[in-house]
Amino acid sequence: MAHSPLLLPPRLYFATILIASLLVISSCLLPTKALAFEALSLPSPSSQHHKIACILNLNARAVNEKFVHAAEEILGKENVFATATEEANDAAMKTIVTRGYDYIVPGGGDGTLCTVINSLMEARKEQSIHNATTSTLPLPKFAYLPLGTGNGMSMLVGPRFKGRTKIIKMQKTLTKLKEMVNECELKKDEGTSTSVPIPVPLLKCPMIEVTRPMSANSSEPNSELCFFAGSGFDSLMLNDFNVVKRWSKRRAKPISRFLGSVAGYTVALLTRTLPSCLIWSKHRLQCRITIPKASACVNASRSMSTYWMDPRRGDTATKVRPNKFQSNESIFPTAIDDDRQLLFEGTTGIIAAGTTPYYGGGMKLFPFSRVQPHGMHLRLGRINPLVGFFNIPWIFRGSYRHYDMKCLDFVGKDFEVELSAPYPFQHSGEADDDPIRRFRLVVAEEEVEFVDFLKPRLVLGYDD
């Protein structure tokens, strides 16, 4: 008999599935558009210079052959890459870099987006060995298609796909992008003094460079780019979700599909993560966090400083002061580097950072991520998991604060985290294979530009 991943009695587990199913069914009863996407008028694929490449992750929850064919009708078959393995993704990125696309459209979740970006950086690095001009070329722009489970980045740059109309909205998004790019190029080609090119609306977003060991048995550092990462309650829940998801694959297809969606996170939270945290305090970890001494220097510029967001003063950004505190040698025997200083040492339930306000599912876990245009928000959650559970609506909206130092928010560019024992780690909604004891989060120098699909709002005046 297969081992059950559930920590609660089966009856309670299936009651949880029933409640979550009712919530999903009720949302599906809302009127939706027809799924006959063949009737949508599509522009013929352009035979011009390669402008837009679309790379679809076939492992993403919403991606299937219909999505691939729909993208091919709009962009042309030669410009659409459907991948299911890491090797196929790397090969596609090499082709994309060689052809010199101006826009890349990743279709999948946050993990897919960051995998594509990391593969792009690696492909550019390899090609620059043979062609030095590659490294000097600007990065392609990204247009994100949220076709995964969490899709946190879609809340920042759009578009937002929901329900049964995802394929229609994907078609409209690709069509709109192609029209904007063609219009911009047409204006450029006119070349008259009166014609002003209409730029494609873009939004810059910095990324976090995460450095950690290659594996549990290796000390060799491995660096990857992402928009959010962390360890603690969130990585524990992600591991539990993956356990429930693997268990569901051996069950009937409706159960497997249901537990592979956002609702699966709720089931994992209620049946595994929350009980293990309340009974065995699995979320509690001892950590030491350091920052560069230069970021706490009196003469440090605003863009280089590290700040604590003081909830007692209405979230006032308070500059972190220099200090000479030493850590507890019985827990962290390694001395702090000479060019760094202690920011925090103690027990916490979550250590997470992001350059985007949104976590998976639209949760606004990092409301201060854009306080610095080129910075990140580091959040330490020290509240009891049950308190957090009952405050989910406020945490989700990004408005939860704790005035007794149980929720600490910092804004900066460089945070190094050391744990007293190995613990699960995640970035971009993807869990690492091995637990780790140390990682460093640094804002990457180069920013990524996204096509902004949200409608601009410019307030010029207001009348009663």
Side-chain angles (χ1 to χ4, degrees):
M1 183 180 293
H3 175 67
S4 173
L6 311 179
L7 297 179
L8 294 182
R11 289 184 179 179
L12 182 57
Y13 170 71
F14 286 110
T16 304
I17 292 184
L18 179 61
I19 294 172
S21 300
L22 292 174
L23 293 174
V24 174
I25 292 172
S26 64
S27 64
C28 292
L29 293 177
L30 297 174
T32 58
K33 297 181 182 178
L35 294 178
F37 64 89
E38 293 84 357
L40 185 65
S41 60
L42 305 175
S44 59
S46 174
S47 60
Q48 302 175 11
H49 163 68
H50 296 290
K51 291 294 177 185
I52 307 173
C54 181
I55 181 164
L56 297 172
N57 179 13
L58 294 174
N59 297 317
R61 183 172 181 269
V63 177
N64 53 39
E65 290 300 325
K66 288 185 178 180
F67 282 81
V68 176
H69 294 322
E72 289 175 348
E73 287 186 32
I74 300 171
L75 300 178
K77 191 171 183 178
E78 72 280 4
N79 300 320
V80 177
F81 304 85
T83 64
T85 64
E86 188 175 339
E87 292 75 19
N89 180 77
D90 292 340
M93 290 312 302
K94 289 179 181 178
T95 303
I96 289 172
V97 170
T98 302
R99 292 181 181 177
Y101 285 94
D102 296 327
Y103 297 86
I104 298 177
V105 186
D110 297 307
T112 299
L113 173 61
C114 292
T115 298
V116 167
I117 293 175
N118 282 291
S119 297
L120 172 68
M121 296 298 187
E122 191 63 32
R124 282 167 60 93
K125 188 185 298 183
E126 290 181 9
Q127 194 178 60
S128 64
I129 298 175
H130 308 287
N131 185 358
T133 59
T134 302
S135 59
T136 61
L137 295 174
L139 282 176
K141 281 70 175 175
F142 288 87
Y144 178 46
L145 297 178
L147 300 173
T149 304
N151 307 318
M153 284 300 294
S154 68
M155 301 299 293
L156 181 66
V157 297
R160 300 169 185 177
F161 298 166
K162 293 182 180 180
R164 301 170 60 207
T165 60
K166 286 183 179 180
I167 193 166
I168 297 176
K169 291 180 179 178
M170 185 198 76
Q171 287 179 301
K172 289 183 178 180
T173 299
L174 291 177
T175 303
K176 181 180 178 181
L177 173 63
K178 187 174 181 181
E179 289 174 350
M180 288 192 297
V181 173
N182 288 341
E183 184 178 4
C184 182
E185 291 300 313
L186 184 62
K187 290 290 184 180
K188 286 182 180 179
D189 294 339
E190 288 179 1
T192 62
S193 58
T194 57
S195 64
V196 179
I198 302 175
V200 175
L202 299 173
L203 180 68
K204 287 185 177 182
C205 186
M207 297 195 73
I208 301 174
E209 184 177 0
V210 181
T211 304
R212 63 205 189 282
M214 291 280 289
S215 65
N217 301 321
S218 171
S219 59
E220 184 181 352
N222 175 42
S223 295
E224 289 183 302
L225 296 173
C226 65
F227 294 100
F228 56 85
S231 187
F233 190 88
D234 60 331
S235 59
L236 189 63
M237 186 175 71
L238 185 60
N239 277 9
D240 290 339
F241 168 71
N242 289 334
V243 171
V244 172
K245 189 176 178 181
R246 287 194 297 269
W247 175 82
S248 69
K249 288 182 178 179
R250 300 190 297 270
R251 302 302 183 268
K253 190 172 181 180
I255 295 178
S256 175
R257 185 167 180 79
F258 174 77
L259 292 178
S261 67
V262 176
Y265 286 101
T266 305
V267 173
L269 171 66
L270 296 177
T271 61
R272 287 186 61 87
T273 312
L274 205 56
S276 67
C277 291
L278 292 175
I279 299 172
W280 298 295
S281 299
K282 280 193 173 182
H283 67 294
R284 293 173 65 86
L285 42 84
Q286 286 277 347
C287 72
R288 179 176 73 179
I289 304 174
T290 61
I291 59 173
K293 284 184 177 179
S295 68
C297 179
V298 177
N299 298 324
S301 63
R302 289 184 179 180
S303 60
M304 296 301 296
S305 298
T306 301
Y307 295 93
W308 168 52
M309 308 305 294
D310 190 349
R312 303 169 304 171
R313 298 182 171 92
D315 299 330
T316 299
T318 305
K319 189 172 180 179
V320 174
R321 300 175 181 178
N323 69 70
K324 296 182 180 180
F325 295 129
Q326 297 298 317
S327 59
N328 188 337
E329 293 183 359
S330 62
I331 301 176
F332 301 102
T334 307
I336 299 173
D337 294 340
D338 293 337
D339 60 341
R340 303 187 72 84
Q341 74 173 45
L342 190 64
L343 177 70
F344 174 85
E345 181 176 310
T347 304
T348 185
I350 181 173
I351 309 169
T355 54
T356 170
Y358 297 100
Y359 202 64
M363 177 183 288
K364 199 175 181 181
L365 191 63
F366 311 109
F368 305 119
S369 61
R370 310 310 304 130
V371 167
Q372 284 180 337
H374 196 71
M376 67 173 135
H377 175 190
L378 178 76
R379 170 161 280 189
L380 304 180
R382 309 176 67 222
I383 58 176
N384 185 284
L386 205 57
V387 175
F389 178 76
F390 287 115
N391 283 279
I392 282 180
W394 293 272
I395 296 174
F396 206 89
R397 291 196 298 264
S399 60
Y400 180 79
R401 304 289 184 271
H402 200 288
Y403 299 93
D404 194 24
M405 307 295 281
K406 294 295 185 181
C407 184
L408 299 174
D409 297 300
F410 299 96
V411 175
K413 291 178 176 292
D414 185 345
F415 301 97
E416 187 167 6
V417 180
E418 185 177 354
L419 307 176
S420 60
Y423 203 85
F425 179 83
Q426 67 83 21
H427 81 74
S428 313
E430 302 290 339
D432 270 12
D433 294 332
D434 301 310
I436 60 175
R437 290 191 62 167
R438 193 178 192 133
F439 57 92
R440 187 173 178 180
L441 309 169
V442 180
V443 177
E445 288 295 328
E446 196 165 13
E447 294 181 316
V448 177
E449 289 186 298
F450 285 91
V451 176
D452 189 2
F453 289 103
L454 297 182
K455 293 180 180 179
R457 291 180 178 176
L458 181 63
V459 179
L460 298 177
Y462 178 78
D463 292 324
D464 291 332

